[in-house]
Amino acid sequence: SNAKKKKDKVARVEALRAAKVVTPTFLPMLHQELESEKSGAVRAAVARLLGEIKDASSVPALLGALDFGASDSDDKAANKEIVVALGAIGSKAAVPDLVKLLSVRDNYTVIAAIEALGDLKAPEAYEPLNKLATEEGTEPFISKKAIQALGEIGDASAVPALIKMMFKERRGVSFYVESSYALYQIG
């Protein structure tokens, strides 16, 4: 708390992370830091640390630190790290906010949200993931990630879209491998 520059704060958080000495007793202090910190770089470092601790009590603090209108690169990076931490913790309480993040403009955050929703096997995410997987204007890599997440979720309603995507190609990118594996996962 006595570090003034964001570079120093990040270095201290990373030193804590590297030392592997953080226990759940640190959580209230880390939650407070995440809530009060303005710098995206520091919030990202704290989120990485909370993601490694994997304590469900961190979910509200992480959700509160999300910036849905992030425009600064540090804030976008913080959102991505927060989403990764939420995915690592594995709490279903994060699903509604993760679904909202599928529509932000930062592709790194969107990809992290897709992966977290797949890991959580969140059926509530079927509709937006299906849209990302099949919509023509979506970046091919994001579509591939959405297809993979649909397979992990295992919702049988995804079968028609996945069959369609097996034979789809966008900008020279095929979705056959991801779609066929997702269909295999669904059964």
Side-chain angles (χ1 to χ4, degrees):
S1 63
N2 62 0
K4 299 298 178 215
K5 296 180 182 174
K6 76 176 178 181
K7 186 177 173 183
D8 295 335
K9 288 182 179 183
V10 170
R12 290 184 183 181
V13 173
E14 291 300 331
L16 271 176
R17 212 172 128 233
K20 306 263 188 232
V21 295
V22 178
T23 63
T25 58
F26 282 75
L27 290 176
M29 180 269 301
L30 291 170
H31 296 163
Q32 175 61 36
E33 188 64 31
L34 190 61
E35 183 181 310
S36 64
E37 184 56 50
K38 302 288 184 238
S39 164
V42 177
R43 286 192 330 234
V46 173
R48 269 191 299 278
L49 183 56
L50 291 173
E52 288 178 4
I53 297 171
K54 296 181 184 177
D55 190 287
S57 69
S58 297
V59 171
L62 288 163
L63 291 174
L66 285 169
D67 181 0
F68 291 95
S71 57
D72 177 82
S73 63
D74 279 351
D75 291 335
K76 289 178 181 180
N79 276 350
K80 179 196 157 270
E81 292 299 335
I82 291 168
V83 170
V84 169
L86 288 167
I89 293 170
S91 171
K92 295 276 189 181
V95 170
D97 286 318
L98 291 172
V99 169
K100 283 183 205 171
L101 287 168
L102 294 176
S103 61
V104 299
R105 292 188 167 210
D106 178 40
N107 286 345
Y108 295 110
T109 302
V110 171
I111 290 166
I114 290 169
E115 289 174 347
L117 288 165
D119 291 344
L120 291 168
K121 299 184 183 344
E124 309 91 316
Y126 163 73
E127 202 57 50
L129 287 173
N130 191 49
K131 183 178 175 186
L132 284 175
T134 58
E135 210 169 60
E136 286 294 322
T138 305
E139 286 292 322
F141 187 72
I142 291 177
S143 291
K144 285 182 175 227
K145 287 296 190 179
I147 289 167
Q148 290 170 341
L150 287 170
E152 290 171 11
I153 291 170
D155 189 335
S157 1
V159 170
L162 292 172
I163 290 173
K164 176 182 153 193
M165 291 307 290
M166 281 177 61
F167 305 103
K168 203 69 155 152
E169 194 173 293
R170 249 188 266 145
R171 293 186 233 159
V173 177
S174 169
F175 303 98
Y176 183 83
V177 173
E178 292 80 11
S179 298
S180 61
Y181 186 68
L183 286 165
Y184 168 76
Q185 288 176 300
I186 293 171

